[in-house]
Amino acid sequence: MKRRVTALIAAAGQGTRLGAAVPKAFVPLRGRSLLERSVTAMETSQIVDEIVVVVSPEMEELAQAALQGKRVRFVHGGAERADSIWEGLKTIADDDAVVLIHDAARALTPPGMIARVARAVLDGNQAVVPVMPVADTIKVVDGERVTATPDRASLRAVQTPQGFDLKVLRAANEAYLAAQDAGFTATDDASLAEWHGVDVVTVQGDPMAFKITTPIDMRLAASITDEAEPTIFEVPGTVRKD
């Protein structure tokens, strides 16, 4: 039997750089919050068996309203993103399973890319990340001084969802917590797996899986959805839904 696939969607952050009145995951995009769009993408991938949404306690009521009718489970997040993911991991009932860690802010991620990541883990890889080529030249700096220029051909920008063997990711989190001072800060779940000695493999990402972080990102997302989701023309006496 196929191992179950659980999607863990991180939606507990504030997202202050977006400058919105509500936390980023709850900002509407053509009438649907970023969180709702991320959940819908997981559903549409047809490979995810369970969806867990990690929210702050004060936002759970709003999250429930935004996701009314959807089969999701809510978990309260911690002080930092890594704490929130760990809280979510502890609630998954399965042991031998696949877990996808996804940022709600990547709300336009195609369902096909989600399935591609999950299948790569189901095929036997312990950690999988979707990646895109880097277009810009990257500099290593010390203060204001450039110290190195890495070869751009070997660099990749990493997206989500990131996929893992559940037991492996749990073990990495437990080791990190036990170390107290691990000598590094995990910038994503894959970097934590790397620190724990796990081989991380890549699959093709997608330009649509960009992270909505700033007002410019939001304007880009709005432009894309305005074109991809045609307006439903109003008929007198009806309520518009789009």
Side-chain angles (χ1 to χ4, degrees):
M1 293 179 61
K2 178 181 80 70
R3 287 185 294 166
R4 282 172 55 83
V5 177
T6 295
L8 198 61
I9 300 180
Q14 292 298 309
T16 54
R17 283 179 288 176
L18 192 57
V22 294
K24 180 168 54 178
F26 301 93
V27 172
L29 181 59
R30 279 188 69 88
R32 299 166 60 200
S33 69
L34 302 186
L35 174 58
E36 180 187 351
R37 287 177 175 275
S38 291
V39 168
T40 299
M42 291 296 171
E43 293 174 329
T44 310
S45 72
Q46 298 184 348
I47 201 168
V48 174
D49 299 295
E50 178 187 34
I51 301 173
V52 180
V53 177
V54 185
V55 296
S56 59
E58 59 271 20
M59 297 304 295
E60 182 175 350
E61 185 176 348
L62 182 59
Q64 289 177 340
L67 299 176
Q68 188 174 7
K70 292 188 175 294
R71 298 180 62 181
V72 302
R73 183 162 57 81
F74 296 98
V75 173
H76 290 167
E80 302 293 338
R81 183 184 183 280
D83 301 318
S84 294
I85 297 302
W86 178 232
E87 291 302 317
L89 290 174
K90 290 189 294 185
T91 70
I92 299 175
D94 302 284
D95 185 30
D96 183 17
V98 173
V99 61
L100 304 178
I101 311 296
H102 188 53
D103 293 325
R106 297 185 187 270
L108 302 184
T109 299
M113 194 190 92
I114 294 169
R116 185 158 60 244
V117 173
R119 288 194 194 100
V121 184
L122 289 169
D123 286 344
N125 296 293
Q126 294 184 328
V128 178
V129 294
V131 298
M132 292 289 291
V134 175
D136 296 323
T137 296
I138 305 297
K139 301 290 185 182
V140 179
V141 299
D142 180 6
E144 297 181 351
R145 186 174 67 88
V146 173
T147 60
T149 304
D151 180 9
R152 188 171 62 188
S154 65
L155 299 177
R156 296 293 183 271
V158 179
Q159 301 173 320
T160 72
Q162 298 181 358
F164 304 90
D165 177 283
L166 178 58
K167 288 184 291 188
V168 168
L169 188 57
R170 278 176 171 163
N173 275 270
E174 289 169 348
Y176 185 61
L177 290 171
Q180 295 184 342
D181 181 12
F184 93 110
T185 300
T187 55
D188 64 358
D189 299 280
S191 65
L192 180 58
E194 292 173 59
W195 170 82
H196 193 54
V198 178
D199 288 333
V200 179
V201 302
T202 66
V203 296
Q204 180 62 42
D206 193 289
M208 291 291 286
F210 68 94
K211 190 174 184 180
I212 300 173
T213 302
T214 66
I216 292 177
D217 300 327
M218 195 66 187
R219 286 196 288 271
L220 174 59
S223 177
I224 291 171
T225 52
D226 284 346
E227 182 175 343
E229 302 171 3
T231 299
I232 299 176
F233 292 100
E234 298 179 48
V235 176
T238 64
V239 177
R240 173 177 169 176
K241 296 181 180 180
D242 62 355

